[in-house]
């Protein structure tokens, strides 16, 4: 194929996950990219409800119209204690994948300069003045490329940075009896058997008889499908549920690592989303982080003479995450005691601000000093002298 047949764009997004769609949407909102041609490439047409995103926030946000449920209260539990948390000034929000996709694609369809192509990306080749992108059907070129296709081997093929997974299976159930409190999300319930890991139940109730019940682990290895589902059944029985329908199922595995994906960024190629290290390493939360990063990226793109490798800035929170992951990688069974020490007496408002990377150094120490001292001191020495 000669170069005249290769269609050129200003920006190409390879993969249309959360980070890509948020970034394109905010490019539209900014009104600064009307003259730029943008193409989104993905083999998945985003027509199914394949995930649920949750995040906390203090005020109304640009996603408010697609929020399916909000909670003002949360429960944290383990075998020793239950704590009902008042989240004010925060609320905990839920957005269904399909609602998010439909919302973004409906907006994109109004803009002739943005095109979505249902094609599988096969290769990316950066030259000095542009980037070539190959799909199974065509070849394209662009000035700048945003890649959100996650390459597992980058993080898992090295030993310098620990890699865990936040892996889960969830059932959206409808019960015959009223067992759920629709005003309170179960944030983490560590009363399930730990079996040498960090394991908890996560419950998002939408009514007294309907909830998403999710069995979640922060650990290195995935389980068999039966093991996740068996634990959900045991938990429902513990809640007093005997008769229920499973309306939907979801499952996922999110990498938790401080591996520096941004070192793969170049002059014209920026890795975004999980592929760019946008997932919060210590929790696996992606929505809030991607929301912040995509806003920063849209501002960055409006500068003159940019190089994509200049976008990422490492901060002290990356180091805190590294310490926690180092502990959980070596002693996965400590997760329950670490998170319990934070939530037993800690202020939810302060914890959320810390996880959002918005605390002062003095506030960081307030949070960190609640954690078990010995594991963190050992981890600190290990990480510093590695």
């Amino acid at each position: 194929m000669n170069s005249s047949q290769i269609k050129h764009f200003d920006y190409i997004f390879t993969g249309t996950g959360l980070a890509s769609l948020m970034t394109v949407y905010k490019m539209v909102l900014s009104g600064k990219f009307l003259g730029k041609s943008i193409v989104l490439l993905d083999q998945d047409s985003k027509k199914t409800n394949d995930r649920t995103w949750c995040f906390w926030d203090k005020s109304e946000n640009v996603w408010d119209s697609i929020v399916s449920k909000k909670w003002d209260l949360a429960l944290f539990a383990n075998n020793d204690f239950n704590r009902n948390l008042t989240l004010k000034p925060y609320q905990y929000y839920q957005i269904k994948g399909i609602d998010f996709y439909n919302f973004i694609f409906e907006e994109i369809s109004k803009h002739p300069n943005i095109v979505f192509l249902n094609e599988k990306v096969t290769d990316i080749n950066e030259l000095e003045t542009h980037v070539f992108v190959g799909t199974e059907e065509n070849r394209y070129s662009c000035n700048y490329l945003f890649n959100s296709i996650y390459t597992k081997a980058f993080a898992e093929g090295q030993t310098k940075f620990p890699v865990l997974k936040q892996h889960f299976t969830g059932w959206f159930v409808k019960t015959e009896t009223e067992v759920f409190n629709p005003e309170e999300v179960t944030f983490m319930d560590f009363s399930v058997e730990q079996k040498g890991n960090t394991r908890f139940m996560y419950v998002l109730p939408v009514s007294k008889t309907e909830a998403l019940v999710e069995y979640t682990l922060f650990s290195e290895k995935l389980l068999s499908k039966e093991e996740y589902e068996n634990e959900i059944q045991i938990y429902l029985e513990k809640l007093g549920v005997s008769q229920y329908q499973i309306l939907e199922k979801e499952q996922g595995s999110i990498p938790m690592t401080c591996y520096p994906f941004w070192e793969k960024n170049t002059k014209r190629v920026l890795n975004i989303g999980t592929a760019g290290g946008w997932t919060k390493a210590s929790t696996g939360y992606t929505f809030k982080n991607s929301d912040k990063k995509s806003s920063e990226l849209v501002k960055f793109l409006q500068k003159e003479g940019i190089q994509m490798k200049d976008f990422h800035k490492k901060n002290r929170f990356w180091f805190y995450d590294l310490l926690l992951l180092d502990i959980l990688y070596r002693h996965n069974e400590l997760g329950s005691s670490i998170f319990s020490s934070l939530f037993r007496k800690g202020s939810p408002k302060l914890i959320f601000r810390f996880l959002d990377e918005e605390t002062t150094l003095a506030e960081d120490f307030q949070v960190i000093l609640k954690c078990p001292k010995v594991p963190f001191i050992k981890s600190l020495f290990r990480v510093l002298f590695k």
Side-chain angles (χ1 to χ4, degrees):
M1 188 183 279
N2 65 48
S3 60
S4 63
Q5 294 172 289
I6 296 174
K7 190 155 187 195
H8 185 79
F9 295 88
D10 290 299
Y11 302 110
I12 291 180
F13 288 80
T14 49
T16 54
L18 183 69
S20 293
L21 294 177
M22 275 185 165
T23 303
V24 171
Y25 180 67
K26 287 174 185 179
M27 289 169 89
V28 168
L29 286 188
S30 75
K32 304 286 187 185
F33 299 88
L34 296 172
K36 303 291 186 183
S37 53
I38 302 169
V39 68
L40 296 142
L41 298 170
D42 201 317
Q43 62 181 334
D44 181 351
S45 57
K46 303 294 176 185
K47 297 274 198 288
T48 58
N49 190 38
D50 58 352
R51 66 197 62 222
T52 303
W53 283 296
C54 288
F55 61 101
W56 50 82
D57 213 339
K58 279 189 277 199
S59 55
E60 288 193 359
N61 52 71
V62 294
W63 315 113
D64 243 39
S65 64
I66 50 168
V67 169
S68 56
K69 177 72 178 159
K70 298 177 189 179
W71 294 270
D72 295 313
L73 305 169
L75 172 70
F76 182 94
N78 67 16
N79 281 325
D80 303 325
F81 76 97
N82 287 7
R83 187 175 174 206
N84 301 92
L85 308 167
T86 301
L87 302 181
K88 271 185 179 169
Y90 291 91
Q91 285 183 301
Y92 197 64
Y93 295 81
Q94 178 191 55
I95 290 178
K96 293 176 182 172
I98 192 66
D99 294 338
F100 178 79
Y101 302 141
N102 290 344
F103 176 73
I104 301 290
F105 281 112
E106 187 183 335
E107 184 58 46
I108 286 173
S109 69
K110 299 172 190 168
H111 299 271
N113 61 314
I114 306 172
V115 183
F116 172 78
L117 298 174
N118 196 189
E119 298 178 22
K120 182 181 179 180
V121 174
T122 53
D123 63 287
I124 294 167
N125 185 19
E126 183 178 2
L127 302 179
E128 181 59 31
T129 56
H130 55 280
V131 185
F132 280 117
V133 180
T135 70
E136 289 180 339
E137 294 86 358
N138 295 295
R139 287 191 67 71
Y140 305 99
S141 66
C142 61
N143 297 335
Y144 295 105
L145 181 132
F146 306 94
N147 172 59
S148 64
I149 299 169
Y150 179 67
T151 304
K152 200 171 155 182
F154 290 161
E156 297 191 14
Q158 53 80 48
T159 54
K160 189 176 177 185
F161 297 93
V163 182
L164 296 176
K165 298 179 183 77
Q166 185 203 98
H167 50 110
F168 55 87
T169 291
W171 286 356
F172 190 78
V173 296
K174 185 173 176 62
T175 62
E176 290 200 355
T177 50
E178 296 184 347
V179 291
F180 302 114
N181 176 2
E183 308 309 314
E184 184 176 69
V185 58
T186 300
F187 200 53
M188 287 176 145
D189 183 349
F190 282 102
S191 66
V192 296
E193 273 192 70
Q194 294 299 288
K195 302 180 185 178
N197 295 128
T198 298
R199 303 180 178 218
F200 59 92
M201 298 301 297
Y202 173 64
V203 183
L204 300 173
V206 296
S207 75
K208 290 179 180 178
T209 58
E210 291 171 302
L212 176 64
V213 181
E214 212 157 75
Y215 184 57
T216 306
L217 291 86
F218 294 172
S219 68
E220 203 179 344
K221 293 185 171 59
L222 303 183
L223 308 178
S224 67
K225 182 187 171 195
E226 293 71 31
E227 196 169 347
Y228 297 102
E229 299 204 327
N230 188 43
E231 291 293 337
I232 296 173
Q233 286 175 324
I234 291 168
Y235 190 74
L236 287 169
E237 284 168 21
K238 198 170 85 174
L239 292 178
V241 177
S242 53
Q243 300 292 315
Y244 57 90
Q245 283 173 275
I246 303 169
L247 304 180
E248 275 182 59
K249 291 185 180 185
E250 68 173 40
Q251 61 183 49
S253 176
I254 301 163
M256 300 171 71
T257 182
C258 286
Y259 175 79
F261 291 99
W262 48 87
E263 289 180 0
K264 307 279 181 194
N265 298 340
T266 59
K267 182 181 173 183
R268 297 187 174 276
V269 177
L270 180 71
N271 293 291
I272 63 174
T274 301
W278 286 19
T279 297
K280 177 72 175 161
S282 57
T283 62
Y285 273 94
T286 52
F287 196 92
K288 192 74 176 281
N289 246 27
S290 295
D291 202 6
K292 285 185 167 186
K293 294 274 189 195
S294 55
S295 293
E296 288 166 19
L297 178 53
V298 170
K299 282 183 188 162
F300 175 79
L301 293 175
Q302 293 170 45
K303 295 177 183 174
E304 291 294 319
I306 57 168
Q307 297 210 17
M308 290 303 185
K309 62 177 183 281
D310 297 334
F311 173 66
H312 182 81
K313 298 282 184 285
K314 198 159 79 175
N315 61 25
R316 66 185 188 275
F317 295 94
W318 174 86
F319 186 72
Y320 302 156
D321 286 350
L322 182 58
L323 293 182
L324 178 65
L325 289 177
D326 180 71
I327 294 166
L328 293 183
Y329 184 74
R330 293 164 187 276
H331 300 286
N332 199 234
E333 73 285 354
L334 292 180
S336 173
S337 64
I338 292 169
F339 286 104
S340 296
S341 64
L342 282 178
F343 281 98
R344 186 183 290 271
K345 289 179 183 164
S347 151
K349 178 181 166 185
L350 182 60
I351 294 166
F352 283 166
R353 283 187 55 226
F354 179 74
L355 294 175
D356 282 342
E357 306 185 355
E358 292 171 356
T359 41
T360 63
L361 199 54
E363 289 172 324
D364 296 351
F365 284 112
Q366 280 183 52
V367 174
I368 293 164
L369 289 172
K370 285 191 166 48
C371 297
K373 310 288 184 296
V374 174
F376 277 90
I377 291 166
K378 283 183 175 174
S379 177
L380 181 64
F381 280 98
R382 261 198 309 270
V383 168
L384 288 176
F385 295 108
K386 206 166 196 176

